[in-house]
Amino acid sequence: MIGAEVVVRSLHGCGVDLCLANPGTSEMHFLSALGAAPGLRPVLVLQENVATGAADGYARIAGRPAATLLHLGPGLANGLSNLHNAARALSPVVNIVGDHATGHRRLDAPLTSDIRALAETVSVSTRCVMPGRGAGAETAAAVADSLGPVPGVATLLLPADAAWSEDESAPGLPQRGPAVTTDINPAGLVEALRRPGAVLLLGHGALRGAGLEAAGRVARATGAALVAQTTNPVVDRGAGRVTVERLPFAPDAARARLAGAPVIVLAGARAPVAFFAYPGKPGRLTAPGTTIIEYFAPECDAVAPLEALAEACGADGDTARNPAVLPGRPVGALDAAKLGALLARHLPEGTILVDEAMTNGVPIAAATAGAAPHRWCQNMGGSIGSGAPLATGCALAEPAAPVVSIIGDGSAMYTIQALWTQSREGLNVKTIILANRAYRILQAEVAKLDPARRTNAMDEMLRIDAPEMDFVAMAQGMGVPGIRVADCDGLDRALGRAFAEPGPALIEVTL
Amino acid sequence: MIGAEVVVRSLHGCGVDLCLANPGTSEMHFLSALGAAPGLRPVLVLQENVATGAADGYARIAGRPAATLLHLGPGLANGLSNLHNAARALSPVVNIVGDHATGHRRLDAPLTSDIRALAETVSVSTRCVMPGRGAGAETAAAVADSLGPVPGVATLLLPADAAWSEDESAPGLPQRGPAVTTDINPAGLVEALRRPGAVLLLGHGALRGAGLEAAGRVARATGAALVAQTTNPVVDRGAGRVTVERLPFAPDAARARLAGAPVIVLAGARAPVAFFAYPGKPGRLTAPGTTIIEYFAPECDAVAPLEALAEACGADGDTARNPAVLPGRPVGALDAAKLGALLARHLPEGTILVDEAMTNGVPIAAATAGAAPHRWCQNMGGSIGSGAPLATGCALAEPAAPVVSIIGDGSAMYTIQALWTQSREGLNVKTIILANRAYRILQAEVAKLDPARRTNAMDEMLRIDAPEMDFVAMAQGMGVPGIRVADCDGLDRALGRAFAEPGPALIEVTL
């Protein structure tokens, strides 16, 4: 058996069933082995950041890693920013990068670069399969690395000669390291959470299923506020779900929200810091006098510690839940709140909502809080261009669920190529492009500058209105049917049609 | 003056007049300074690999660096693969990357990553402006680094607080280090070049202007064959230009071409190696018995050593030149040779031809050898997705020249976002998409595999025909008028119309 076959069999044996690929010459033997493997589905993408972002989305919904297949250093480079996002989401990804044959590297052929240096910036581990020995064990170790103790991107370099050479090693077997747990006794937190203004800050798994339920009981029993960190990989929300505030993205607002908290208990969340620094303002969003206690880390399973905390609190009643209240049917020209209202009214139960709505995200989130129960996926690393790839991966993980991908027009253009894969695979992704024809989030930043520093040329650089992009045409060019809407009636009809049948669709919303 | 203003003034003072930007929050003060600067033109791109590839194209044609403006590590990551190509082209680029404020980095906010590690994989130098001191000198040094001794990517990290803080340093002044020269005496090469079968292998500047003319005289005087390395940043070619063979991309063909050479003299070229390794085949393309002499390096100015060599040869006559012979007007269904013939018949003198034609490149090159004199730009690092950005940069460097960008459909989809910038800036780029609906170059690689290793699933992964992409629709969506043609008459008319008026246009050619 050649090395490529050992790698593929090991991946499959370790539970990997999807490979998001953009291969090149050095990956031909791997592609051959992949094509011959039952149970390991290859999915082609046109640009690597679609592969890596889709692997992130797949991991969030499936709870297990997909493999990527990238071509040498430049292919890895093209996928790095969504690997950055995946790493921040703690999404397991087995990131397979083809390399030149080991003996070819020293010739410094045109595509040669320092792949390891690139990989290490985003990876929990960077391994290399060497020709003729141990492809099975190395692959199994990479899968295990991706899963923990801290889940993330495990890069596996596969030199072409390691792929094509005979390798007698047995396919690797699944391994699992020790899980991360907490050594904080929950009984010690109860008094802190009972202090007026106390915050239980939830992140990652604490916003899902039984963990979120337990957090709700803790809040009810102690009076602590339940606050979600600004972004999270998946949040269970909608009607009947435990009510959770979201910490604002805007640093002044976030600081104001947390200013009065005597104590913040971190449950799967990180101590909140501003996305960006501003002159004369602190980077931490918490007041100097606030006590911060990390109960458990983001990578820790959230259910056991939150249930233990609920028990320590003597919590046995119910908790505050989102009422099943849909907004009224809006009319007239569209804005984000009206869009959110219409979306809430149409949203099928079980939808996966991918949010790269940027400045429009807050009103849309508010409007959909009481919609049918759904999952909410956010950008974790702040690198925009994650929305369309994430949605692609979510749909691959759960083909039966509708996926709604809400993306700002500026953001959408980083990875618009994802639409083609959505069409090719018939994925049930409904893309909503928020076409305000500007980098609105940067316009908001400009507004914070000293007015003397604003110039027309600067304003011009934050507008993307000339030429006006036509996302319906672009979608059509990649096989996705689209429609442009400018008012509530139009969006109402478009959403009705989009959810009425499976498969990809795009709605460009003029805002 | 704040640091951002010092950086901008220093760039301009050192001869940088273009900034290809995709900014984010941490770059707002730089953008403000840029907007206020006369003579430093900001150009907005929708994805960072367009900025970096355009900077490569600009440098090739203008002969001086453009600046980029990228947002933190993920923005740099998105532009890395075309920086890799630029580095291989020895194109000077001042690669400006905004970073978090220095005090914010340790908070590990979502967008934090190891920017320096990423930058160092492609850069001749990686500098960082520190707040309040020396922005002028650091910027001037970065510009100088980009220019030599070995030209390339000089990365300048600009933390947000370095941009917004007062910096009393004077704007930096142009610096220029010593030029790279050769210490080989040309007289010692004459006998070698007179040996039957000798090859003078040309690369980089040796394929342009006076250097190429001198090389032609050397060939005539010595009988040595003039061969161009497979890819080069800019080649002067067309009717009346010195005739030069091109070393084939296919390694077997290249090896066969060089097999009989007793000696190869490298003039701005590197010793030829295969792009990729293959089982049981050597990576070097030269025979073990061939003597290889490096006369001068790719980064060396080519004119002086080639003129000295011509003088040493006693060359005083003319040389073999491409005859001004246009192919006959083809008819019927299109293929690459017919496309090349039609292009040759329409090509305006002075055109810049950007070649990412992949498998179709050889017949197109053959057909255009006798066309009106033009410049030919190729992908130097092998990372596909360079064509549309390169063409964008070439057009920014020389707005009056027609730029023809010939791109395979697979390649085009890595950086299709460049079309929007071409439209926004009204650039004179005629994009020809070669729509064969496949990664044809990889299909050729599959054909080299043991037939037992071919599978249907593998073949499926190399086809991009379902859904069939519509490049005319995509171009329209980004403001570029387009047309699809499938036969010679259609292409003939489309080329006529495209060259008749300035501005961007796209022709999708069904092959």
Coordinates of all heavy atoms in Angstrom, one line a residue, chain B residues 58-132:
Chain B
Y58 N 2.6 45.8 -11.0 CA 3.0 47.2 -11.0 C 4.6 47.3 -11.0 O 5.2 48.1 -11.8 CB 2.5 48.0 -9.8 CG 2.8 49.5 -9.8 CD1 2.0 50.4 -10.4 CD2 3.9 49.9 -9.1 CE1 2.2 51.7 -10.4 CE2 4.2 51.3 -9.1 CZ 3.4 52.2 -9.8 OH 3.7 53.5 -9.8
A59 N 5.2 46.6 -10.1 CA 6.7 46.7 -10.1 C 7.3 46.2 -11.3 O 8.3 46.8 -11.8 CB 7.1 45.8 -8.9
R60 N 6.8 45.2 -11.9 CA 7.4 44.6 -13.2 C 7.4 45.7 -14.3 O 8.3 45.7 -15.1 CB 6.6 43.4 -13.7 CG 6.7 42.2 -12.7 CD 6.2 41.0 -13.4 NE 5.9 39.9 -12.5 CZ 5.5 38.7 -12.8 NH1 5.5 38.4 -14.1 NH2 5.3 37.8 -11.9
I61 N 6.3 46.4 -14.4 CA 6.1 47.4 -15.5 C 6.7 48.8 -15.1 O 7.4 49.4 -15.9 CB 4.7 47.5 -15.9 CG1 4.2 46.2 -16.4 CG2 4.5 48.6 -17.0 CD1 4.9 45.6 -17.6
A62 N 6.5 49.2 -13.9 CA 6.9 50.6 -13.5 C 8.4 50.5 -13.1 O 9.1 51.6 -13.1 CB 6.1 51.1 -12.4
G63 N 8.9 49.4 -12.7 CA 10.3 49.3 -12.2 C 10.5 49.9 -10.8 O 11.6 50.1 -10.4
R64 N 9.4 50.1 -10.1 CA 9.5 50.6 -8.7 C 8.4 50.0 -7.9 O 7.4 49.6 -8.4 CB 9.5 52.2 -8.7 CG 8.2 52.8 -9.2 CD 8.3 54.3 -9.2 NE 7.0 54.9 -9.7 CZ 6.7 55.0 -11.0 NH1 7.5 54.7 -11.9 NH2 5.5 55.5 -11.3
P65 N 8.6 50.1 -6.6 CA 7.6 49.4 -5.8 C 6.3 50.1 -5.6 O 6.3 51.4 -5.5 CB 8.3 49.2 -4.4 CG 9.3 50.3 -4.4 CD 9.7 50.5 -5.8
A66 N 5.2 49.4 -5.5 CA 4.0 50.0 -4.9 C 3.9 49.5 -3.5 O 4.6 48.6 -3.1 CB 2.8 49.4 -5.7
A67 N 3.1 50.2 -2.7 CA 2.9 49.8 -1.3 C 1.6 49.0 -1.3 O 0.7 49.2 -2.2 CB 2.8 51.0 -0.4
T68 N 1.5 48.1 -0.4 CA 0.2 47.5 -0.1 C -0.3 48.0 1.2 O 0.4 48.7 1.9 CB 0.3 45.9 0.1 OG1 1.2 45.7 1.2 CG2 0.9 45.3 -1.1
L69 N -1.5 47.8 1.6 CA -2.0 48.0 2.9 C -2.9 46.9 3.3 O -4.0 46.8 2.8 CB -2.8 49.4 3.0 CG -3.3 49.7 4.4 CD1 -2.1 49.8 5.4 CD2 -4.1 51.0 4.5
L70 N -2.5 46.1 4.2 CA -3.2 44.9 4.6 C -3.5 44.9 6.1 O -2.9 45.6 6.9 CB -2.3 43.6 4.3 CG -1.7 43.5 2.9 CD1 -0.9 42.3 2.8 CD2 -2.8 43.5 1.8
H71 N -4.6 44.2 6.5 CA -5.1 44.3 7.8 C -4.7 43.1 8.7 O -5.2 42.0 8.5 CB -6.6 44.3 7.7 CG -7.4 44.4 9.0 ND1 -7.1 45.3 10.0 CD2 -8.5 43.7 9.4 CE1 -7.9 45.2 11.0 NE2 -8.8 44.2 10.7
L72 N -3.7 43.3 9.5 CA -3.3 42.3 10.5 C -2.9 41.0 9.9 O -2.7 40.9 8.6 CB -4.4 42.1 11.5 CG -4.8 43.3 12.4 CD1 -6.2 43.1 13.0 CD2 -3.8 43.5 13.5
G73 N -2.7 40.0 10.7 CA -2.2 38.7 10.2 C -3.1 38.0 9.2 O -2.6 37.6 8.1
P74 N -4.4 38.0 9.4 CA -5.3 37.4 8.4 C -5.3 38.1 7.1 O -5.4 37.5 6.0 CB -6.6 37.4 9.1 CG -6.3 37.3 10.6 CD -5.1 38.1 10.7
G75 N -5.2 39.4 7.1 CA -5.1 40.2 5.9 C -3.8 39.8 5.1 O -3.8 39.7 3.9
L76 N -2.8 39.8 5.8 CA -1.5 39.4 5.2 C -1.6 37.9 4.7 O -1.2 37.7 3.5 CB -0.3 39.5 6.3 CG 1.0 38.9 5.8 CD1 1.5 39.6 4.6 CD2 2.0 39.0 7.0
A77 N -2.2 37.1 5.5 CA -2.3 35.7 5.0 C -3.0 35.6 3.7 O -2.6 34.9 2.8 CB -3.1 34.8 6.1
N78 N -4.1 36.4 3.6 CA -4.9 36.3 2.3 C -4.1 36.8 1.1 O -4.4 36.5 0.0 CB -6.1 37.2 2.5 CG -7.3 36.6 3.3 OD1 -7.2 35.3 3.5 ND2 -8.2 37.3 3.7
G79 N -3.1 37.6 1.4 CA -2.3 38.1 0.3 C -0.9 37.4 0.1 O -0.1 37.8 -0.8
L80 N -0.7 36.4 0.9 CA 0.7 35.8 0.9 C 1.0 35.0 -0.4 O 2.2 35.1 -0.8 CB 0.8 34.7 2.0 CG 1.2 35.2 3.4 CD1 1.2 34.1 4.4 CD2 2.6 35.9 3.3
S81 N 0.0 34.4 -1.0 CA 0.4 33.6 -2.2 C 0.9 34.4 -3.3 O 1.8 34.1 -4.1 CB -0.6 32.6 -2.6 OG -1.8 33.2 -3.1
N82 N 0.3 35.6 -3.5 CA 0.8 36.5 -4.6 C 2.1 37.2 -4.1 O 2.9 37.7 -5.0 CB -0.2 37.4 -5.1 CG -1.0 36.8 -6.3 OD1 -0.5 35.9 -6.9 ND2 -2.2 37.2 -6.5
L83 N 2.3 37.4 -2.8 CA 3.6 37.9 -2.4 C 4.7 36.8 -2.6 O 5.8 37.1 -3.0 CB 3.6 38.2 -0.9 CG 2.8 39.5 -0.5 CD1 2.7 39.6 1.0 CD2 3.4 40.7 -1.1
H84 N 4.3 35.5 -2.5 CA 5.3 34.5 -2.9 C 5.6 34.6 -4.3 O 6.8 34.6 -4.7 CB 4.6 33.1 -2.6 CG 5.3 31.9 -3.2 ND1 6.3 31.3 -2.6 CD2 5.1 31.4 -4.4 CE1 6.8 30.3 -3.4 NE2 6.1 30.3 -4.5
N85 N 4.6 34.8 -5.2 CA 4.9 35.0 -6.6 C 5.8 36.2 -6.8 O 6.7 36.2 -7.7 CB 3.6 35.1 -7.4 CG 2.9 33.8 -7.5 OD1 3.5 32.7 -7.5 ND2 1.6 33.8 -7.6
A86 N 5.5 37.3 -6.1 CA 6.2 38.5 -6.3 C 7.7 38.3 -5.9 O 8.6 38.8 -6.5 CB 5.6 39.7 -5.5
A87 N 7.9 37.6 -4.8 CA 9.3 37.4 -4.3 C 10.0 36.6 -5.4 O 11.2 36.9 -5.6 CB 9.2 36.6 -3.0
R88 N 9.4 35.6 -6.0 CA 10.0 34.8 -7.0 C 10.3 35.6 -8.3 O 11.2 35.3 -9.1 CB 9.2 33.6 -7.4 CG 9.1 32.6 -6.2 CD 10.3 31.7 -6.2 NE 10.3 30.9 -5.0 CZ 11.2 29.9 -4.8 NH1 12.2 29.6 -5.7 NH2 11.2 29.2 -3.7
A89 N 9.5 36.6 -8.5 CA 9.7 37.5 -9.6 C 10.7 38.6 -9.4 O 11.1 39.4 -10.2 CB 8.4 38.2 -10.0
L90 N 11.2 38.6 -8.1 CA 12.2 39.7 -7.7 C 11.5 41.1 -7.9 O 12.2 42.1 -8.2 CB 13.5 39.6 -8.4 CG 14.3 38.3 -8.3 CD1 15.5 38.3 -9.2 CD2 14.6 38.0 -6.9
S91 N 10.2 41.1 -7.7 CA 9.5 42.4 -7.8 C 9.6 43.1 -6.4 O 9.3 42.6 -5.4 CB 8.0 42.1 -8.1 OG 7.9 41.6 -9.4
P92 N 10.0 44.4 -6.5 CA 10.0 45.2 -5.2 C 8.6 45.5 -4.8 O 7.8 46.0 -5.6 CB 10.8 46.4 -5.6 CG 10.7 46.6 -7.1 CD 10.6 45.2 -7.6
V93 N 8.3 45.2 -3.6 CA 7.0 45.5 -3.0 C 7.2 46.0 -1.6 O 7.9 45.4 -0.8 CB 6.1 44.2 -2.9 CG1 4.8 44.5 -2.2 CG2 5.8 43.7 -4.3
V94 N 6.6 47.1 -1.2 CA 6.6 47.6 0.2 C 5.3 47.2 0.8 O 4.2 47.7 0.5 CB 6.8 49.1 0.3 CG1 6.8 49.6 1.7 CG2 8.1 49.6 -0.4
N95 N 5.4 46.1 1.6 CA 4.2 45.4 2.1 C 3.8 45.9 3.5 O 4.4 45.5 4.5 CB 4.6 43.9 2.1 CG 3.4 43.0 2.5 OD1 2.3 43.2 2.1 ND2 3.7 42.1 3.4
I96 N 2.9 46.8 3.5 CA 2.5 47.4 4.8 C 1.4 46.7 5.5 O 0.3 46.5 4.9 CB 2.2 48.9 4.6 CG1 3.4 49.6 4.0 CG2 1.8 49.5 5.9 CD1 3.1 51.1 3.7
V97 N 1.6 46.2 6.7 CA 0.7 45.4 7.4 C 0.3 46.1 8.7 O 1.2 46.3 9.6 CB 1.2 44.0 7.7 CG1 0.1 43.2 8.4 CG2 1.7 43.3 6.4
G98 N -0.9 46.5 8.9 CA -1.3 47.1 10.1 C -1.3 46.1 11.2 O -1.7 44.9 11.0
D99 N -1.0 46.5 12.4 CA -1.0 45.5 13.5 C -1.8 46.2 14.7 O -2.0 47.4 14.6 CB 0.5 45.2 14.0 CG 0.5 44.0 14.9 OD1 -0.5 43.4 15.2 OD2 1.7 43.7 15.4
H100 N -2.1 45.4 15.6 CA -2.7 45.9 16.8 C -1.7 46.9 17.5 O -0.5 46.8 17.3 CB -3.0 44.8 17.8 CG -4.2 44.0 17.6 ND1 -5.4 44.6 17.3 CD2 -4.4 42.6 17.5 CE1 -6.3 43.6 17.1 NE2 -5.8 42.4 17.2
A101 N -2.3 47.8 18.3 CA -1.4 48.6 19.1 C -0.5 47.7 19.9 O -0.9 46.6 20.3 CB -2.2 49.5 20.0
T102 N 0.7 48.2 20.1 CA 1.8 47.4 20.8 C 1.3 46.8 22.1 O 1.5 45.7 22.4 CB 3.1 48.1 21.0 OG1 2.8 49.4 21.6 CG2 3.7 48.4 19.6
G103 N 0.6 47.6 22.9 CA 0.1 47.2 24.2 C -1.1 46.2 24.1 O -1.5 45.5 25.1
H104 N -1.7 46.2 22.9 CA -3.0 45.4 22.8 C -2.6 43.9 22.4 O -3.4 43.0 22.7 CB -3.8 46.0 21.7 CG -5.3 45.6 21.7 ND1 -6.1 45.9 22.8 CD2 -6.0 44.8 20.9 CE1 -7.3 45.4 22.6 NE2 -7.3 44.7 21.4
R105 N -1.4 43.7 21.9 CA -1.1 42.4 21.4 C -1.2 41.3 22.5 O -1.6 40.2 22.3 CB 0.3 42.4 20.8 CG 0.5 43.1 19.5 CD 1.9 42.9 19.0 NE 2.3 43.8 18.0 CZ 3.5 44.4 17.8 NH1 4.5 44.1 18.7 NH2 3.7 45.2 16.8
R106 N -0.7 41.7 23.7 CA -0.6 40.7 24.7 C -2.0 40.3 25.2 O -2.1 39.3 25.9 CB 0.3 41.2 25.9 CG -0.4 42.3 26.7 CD 0.5 43.0 27.7 NE 0.0 44.3 27.9 CZ -1.0 44.5 28.8 NH1 -1.5 43.6 29.6 NH2 -1.5 45.8 29.0
L107 N -3.0 41.0 24.9 CA -4.4 40.6 25.3 C -4.9 39.5 24.4 O -6.0 39.0 24.7 CB -5.3 41.8 25.3 CG -4.9 43.0 26.2 CD1 -6.0 44.1 26.1 CD2 -4.8 42.5 27.6
D108 N -4.3 39.2 23.4 CA -4.7 38.1 22.5 C -6.1 38.3 22.0 O -6.9 37.3 22.0 CB -4.5 36.8 23.2 CG -4.5 35.6 22.3 OD1 -4.0 35.8 21.1 OD2 -5.0 34.5 22.7
A109 N -6.4 39.5 21.5 CA -7.8 39.7 21.0 C -7.9 38.8 19.7 O -7.0 38.2 19.2 CB -7.9 41.2 20.6
P110 N -9.2 38.6 19.3 CA -9.5 37.6 18.3 C -8.6 37.7 17.0 O -8.2 36.6 16.5 CB -10.9 37.8 17.9 CG -11.5 38.4 19.2 CD -10.5 39.2 19.8
L111 N -8.2 38.8 16.6 CA -7.5 38.9 15.3 C -5.9 38.8 15.5 O -5.2 39.0 14.6 CB -7.8 40.2 14.6 CG -9.0 40.2 13.7 CD1 -9.6 41.5 13.4 CD2 -8.7 39.4 12.4
T112 N -5.5 38.6 16.8 CA -4.1 38.5 17.0 C -3.5 37.3 16.4 O -4.1 36.2 16.5 CB -3.8 38.6 18.5 OG1 -4.5 39.7 19.1 CG2 -2.4 38.6 18.9
S113 N -2.3 37.4 15.8 CA -1.6 36.2 15.3 C -0.2 36.6 15.1 O 0.2 37.8 15.3 CB -2.2 35.7 14.0 OG -2.0 36.6 12.9
D114 N 0.7 35.6 14.7 CA 2.1 35.9 14.6 C 2.4 36.4 13.2 O 2.7 35.7 12.3 CB 2.9 34.6 14.8 CG 4.4 34.8 14.9 OD1 4.9 35.9 14.5 OD2 5.1 33.9 15.4
I115 N 2.2 37.7 13.1 CA 2.3 38.4 11.7 C 3.7 38.3 11.2 O 4.0 38.0 10.0 CB 1.9 39.9 11.8 CG1 0.5 40.0 12.4 CG2 2.0 40.5 10.5 CD1 0.1 41.5 12.5
R116 N 4.7 38.4 12.1 CA 6.1 38.4 11.7 C 6.5 37.0 11.1 O 7.1 36.9 10.1 CB 7.0 38.7 12.9 CG 8.5 38.8 12.6 CD 9.3 39.3 13.8 NE 9.2 40.7 14.0 CZ 9.9 41.6 13.4 NH1 10.9 41.2 12.5 NH2 9.8 42.9 13.6
A117 N 6.0 36.0 11.7 CA 6.3 34.6 11.2 C 5.7 34.5 9.8 O 6.4 33.9 8.9 CB 5.7 33.5 12.1
L118 N 4.5 35.0 9.6 CA 3.9 34.9 8.2 C 4.8 35.7 7.2 O 5.1 35.3 6.1 CB 2.5 35.4 8.2 CG 1.5 34.7 9.0 CD1 0.1 35.4 9.0 CD2 1.3 33.3 8.4
A119 N 5.1 36.9 7.7 CA 5.8 37.9 6.7 C 7.2 37.3 6.3 O 7.6 37.4 5.2 CB 5.9 39.2 7.4
E120 N 7.8 36.7 7.3 CA 9.2 36.3 7.0 C 9.3 35.2 6.0 O 10.3 35.0 5.4 CB 9.9 35.8 8.3 CG 10.3 37.1 9.1 CD 10.9 36.8 10.5 OE1 10.8 35.6 10.9 OE2 11.5 37.7 11.1
T121 N 8.2 34.5 5.7 CA 8.2 33.4 4.7 C 8.3 34.0 3.3 O 8.7 33.2 2.4 CB 7.0 32.5 4.8 OG1 5.8 33.3 4.4 CG2 6.8 31.9 6.1
V122 N 8.0 35.3 3.1 CA 8.1 35.8 1.7 C 8.9 37.1 1.6 O 9.1 37.6 0.5 CB 6.6 36.2 1.2 CG1 5.8 35.0 1.0 CG2 5.9 37.2 2.2
S123 N 9.5 37.5 2.7 CA 10.1 38.9 2.8 C 11.6 38.9 2.7 O 12.2 38.0 3.4 CB 9.6 39.6 4.0 OG 8.2 39.7 4.0
V124 N 12.2 39.9 2.1 CA 13.6 40.1 2.2 C 13.9 40.8 3.5 O 15.0 40.6 4.1 CB 14.2 40.9 1.0 CG1 14.2 40.1 -0.3 CG2 13.5 42.3 0.8
S125 N 13.0 41.5 4.0 CA 13.1 42.1 5.4 C 11.8 42.3 6.0 O 10.8 42.5 5.3 CB 13.9 43.4 5.4 OG 13.0 44.5 4.9
T126 N 11.7 42.2 7.3 CA 10.5 42.5 8.0 C 10.8 43.5 9.2 O 11.5 43.1 10.1 CB 9.9 41.2 8.6 OG1 9.7 40.2 7.6 CG2 8.6 41.4 9.3
R127 N 10.3 44.7 9.0 CA 10.6 45.7 10.0 C 9.3 46.1 10.7 O 8.2 45.8 10.2 CB 11.1 47.0 9.2 CG 12.4 46.8 8.5 CD 12.8 48.0 7.7 NE 14.1 47.7 7.1 CZ 15.3 48.0 7.7 NH1 15.3 48.6 8.9 NH2 16.4 47.7 7.1
C128 N 9.5 46.8 11.8 CA 8.3 47.2 12.5 C 8.5 48.7 13.0 O 9.5 49.0 13.5 CB 8.1 46.3 13.8 SG 6.7 46.8 14.8
V129 N 7.5 49.5 12.7 CA 7.6 50.9 13.2 C 7.1 50.9 14.7 O 6.1 50.4 15.0 CB 6.6 51.8 12.4 CG1 6.6 53.2 12.9 CG2 6.9 51.8 10.9
M130 N 8.0 51.5 15.5 CA 7.6 51.5 16.9 C 7.0 52.9 17.2 O 7.3 53.9 16.6 CB 8.8 51.2 17.8 CG 9.2 49.8 17.7 SD 7.9 48.5 18.1 CE 7.9 48.7 19.9
P131 N 6.1 53.0 18.2 CA 5.4 54.3 18.4 C 6.3 55.4 18.8 O 7.2 55.2 19.7 CB 4.4 53.9 19.6 CG 4.3 52.5 19.6 CD 5.6 51.9 19.1
G132 N 6.2 56.5 18.2 CA 6.9 57.7 18.6 C 8.3 57.9 18.2 O 8.9 58.8 18.5

